[in-house]
Amino acid sequence: GADVTEDGRALIKDGVFLAFATGGYEDYEYTVPEGVHTIGDKAFQYATFGLVNLPSTLKEIGKSAFLSSGLYEVDMPSSVTKIGEDAFAYSMLSFVAIPASVQDLGESVFRGCENMNHAAVNCDMVSFALFSECTALEKVEINGSPISIPDKTFSQCESLVSVNLPETVMEIGYRAFY
């Protein structure tokens, strides 16, 4: 069976954070316990806290993990290698730094994050519709070495002022900056 955390808010099984109890009074901040290696699909969907602390043991963030949550601040540890589709879509994030350790980046990870105004991509990839509909996004720093800017990466980012494209970029996809 799965273990319920001491505060009764989370269900964790074999290092996988499966579910978070929302509703009622929620703290401003939530800390995912050390030892957790995976945030399961939809684990924090609709959660209302603003800040989450992720453990140094974290390797994978599942699909829609923080979808439509109140999350506005997250510091992703350099242990994260995979971020699933829609993981932070429609959340309240204002800034994000994707760690260099990421090797698998799902589609639309930050789609519709309307508060995001700055992002840093430190890994060697960018994915389909990664920042689409981030209407307040002004600046993106690409510090990794991606070879392509896929379709719709920055589509409908009408506030976008600055994106540096590294020399490694060989292809810019359909409607990448639409």
Side-chain angles (χ1 to χ4, degrees):
D3 298 320
V4 174
T5 53
E6 211 173 291
D7 61 3
R9 304 283 298 275
L11 197 59
I12 299 171
K13 182 178 166 99
D14 301 328
V16 180
F17 193 104
L18 297 170
F20 178 73
T22 59
Y25 174 76
E26 290 197 33
D27 301 323
Y28 153 75
E29 187 174 347
Y30 184 77
T31 299
V32 175
E34 283 293 324
V36 167
H37 58 73
T38 301
I39 304 281
D41 295 354
K42 300 181 180 177
F44 289 101
Q45 189 173 359
Y46 309 124
T48 58
F49 56 76
L51 171 65
V52 68
N53 300 305
L54 297 174
S56 62
T57 49
L58 191 66
K59 298 259 183 262
E60 190 173 325
I61 297 172
K63 291 179 183 174
S64 306
F66 294 91
L67 178 75
S68 297
S69 69
L71 187 67
Y72 71 80
E73 190 177 332
V74 65
D75 185 9
M76 276 187 256
S78 58
S79 54
V80 174
T81 57
K82 181 178 183 178
I83 303 175
E85 181 180 341
D86 289 327
F88 296 92
Y90 303 101
S91 69
M92 305 302 282
L93 283 177
S94 56
F95 167 76
V96 70
I98 304 171
S101 52
V102 172
Q103 295 159 13
D104 185 344
L105 191 60
E107 296 183 355
S108 310
V109 170
F110 302 102
R111 183 208 330 231
C113 290
E114 294 180 354
N115 289 343
M116 189 179 296
N117 58 24
H118 182 195
V121 178
N122 300 320
C123 62
D124 291 334
M125 67 186 57
V126 180
S127 62
F128 173 84
L130 182 61
F131 294 107
S132 68
E133 301 166 49
C134 289
T135 51
L137 188 62
E138 293 179 10
K139 183 178 184 187
V140 177
E141 298 163 49
I142 301 177
N143 303 315
S145 306
I147 54 168
S148 78
I149 304 297
D151 297 353
K152 297 185 179 178
T153 299
F154 299 104
S155 114
Q156 294 172 278
C157 292
E158 53 253 17
S159 300
L160 199 58
V161 177
S162 161
V163 177
N164 66 304
L165 295 180
E167 289 180 12
T168 51
V169 173
M170 307 296 265
E171 177 187 31
I172 295 178
Y174 176 73
R175 291 191 167 179
F177 293 92
Y178 177 74

